[in-house]
Amino acid sequence: MLVLTDEAKLSAIGTAIRATAGASQTFLPSAMASAIATRLTAYDRVATRTIRNAEGWTTYIADYAFESLPALRTATFESCESVGVAAFRSCNTLSMVSLPECRTISDMTFFDCPSLLGIDLPECVSIGASAFCFCSSVSRAYL
């Protein structure tokens, strides 16, 4: 089961790099970008971005970030403010999503997530076209 949280993001990336490289060393942040770039596979993507705007720092999930990721069961991002186009599209095993500070869900974000049971989006004010299309198992939504 793959669970992603803001607090554990860098640790999880470092662990994944070590696992795929068969390495035991710790990667410093300055070396992490290079290590990630040389070890990415189709399913290991750097999926979130943090940018600075007039109000401070904003975290968002990139377009297609987790698309078709087969091991993703739960996604929790405590401080994410927006989710990109088709970010979780066709995640067939995704069952729970919690984005407590997210304000914007883009088009087709959760398109074709048949196992999605629960959604927590209490601050969401904008949901794009077909964002939850073919999500036939949703039984709980906190909006």
Side-chain angles (χ1 to χ4, degrees):
M1 173 163 78
L2 179 61
V3 178
L4 299 171
T5 64
D6 287 336
E7 295 82 21
K9 197 179 323 172
L10 286 178
S11 177
I13 291 170
T15 300
I17 292 169
R18 287 191 297 279
T20 59
S24 60
Q25 78 266 24
T26 300
F27 289 93
L28 297 174
S30 60
M32 199 169 269
S34 174
I36 291 168
T38 60
R39 290 174 180 86
L40 286 180
T41 68
Y43 297 115
D44 296 321
R45 304 176 194 168
V46 177
T48 62
R49 308 283 188 267
T50 301
I51 58 172
R52 186 168 175 88
N53 60 25
E55 292 81 38
W57 293 96
T58 299
T59 300
Y60 68 95
I61 298 173
D63 294 349
Y64 312 102
F66 299 104
E67 182 183 26
S68 300
L69 190 65
L72 187 63
R73 304 237 190 302
T74 303
T76 301
F77 292 86
E78 295 295 330
S79 63
C80 178
E81 293 185 19
S82 67
V83 182
V85 173
F88 292 94
R89 181 173 62 186
S90 298
C91 287
N92 293 330
T93 59
L94 181 64
S95 62
M96 181 61 201
V97 174
S98 179
L99 299 160
E101 293 184 11
C102 184
R103 299 184 54 78
T104 304
I105 299 294
S106 298
D107 296 345
M108 298 178 66
T109 297
F110 298 100
F111 186 94
D112 191 29
C113 292
S115 299
L116 187 59
L117 298 171
I119 305 159
D120 288 332
L121 301 167
E123 298 295 320
C124 192
V125 294
S126 175
I127 297 177
S130 300
F132 294 98
C133 192
F134 301 114
C135 295
S136 57
S137 298
V138 174
S139 59
R140 186 183 65 79
Y142 177 49
L143 304 172

